[in-house]
Amino acid sequence: MLRPKIPTNPMPTGIANPPTVTEPTTVVQPPAAPAPVAPAPARPTVQLTPGAVIALVGGGTAVVLVVGAVLVSMLLAVAITGASLAICALVIRSLITADAQRR
């Protein structure tokens, strides 16, 4: 039931013709006419007013402060976790050694 079925490759049934050789032909392309160049669309230049510059600087400063606060808080959380694990390890080690000295 679970045996794989191997497909059989039947023998060719007829006369096999040898492949025919075709001679390559040269392709002559007509000379290309120069394509018309479309004029570049006039793009409006960006003009920053003093108010826009102040808003951009203020927004950038706010983003930097928020990202910095998040990174510092993550670093502080890792440091506090590491310190508490070290204190727990010291307490457990002292309990084990005190228990071993009593016996």
Side-chain angles (χ1 to χ4, degrees):
M1 180 173 132
L2 297 175
R3 293 186 182 160
K5 294 182 179 180
I6 301 172
T8 58
N9 204 3
M11 297 298 290
T13 59
I15 301 172
N17 294 333
T20 58
V21 178
T22 56
E23 294 293 326
T25 57
T26 59
V27 177
V28 178
Q29 295 182 352
V37 178
R43 296 176 63 189
T45 58
V46 177
Q47 295 179 352
L48 294 177
T49 62
V53 170
I54 291 173
L56 285 175
V57 170
T61 304
V63 167
V64 167
L65 288 177
V66 168
V67 170
V70 168
L71 291 178
V72 168
S73 64
M74 289 172 64
L75 180 64
L76 185 61
V78 169
I80 291 172
T81 304
S84 63
L85 284 176
I87 291 171
C88 288
L90 288 176
V91 170
I92 291 172
R93 188 176 76 172
S94 70
L95 288 175
I96 290 174
T97 56
D99 188 41
Q101 289 176 356
R102 280 190 233 154
R103 291 183 185 198

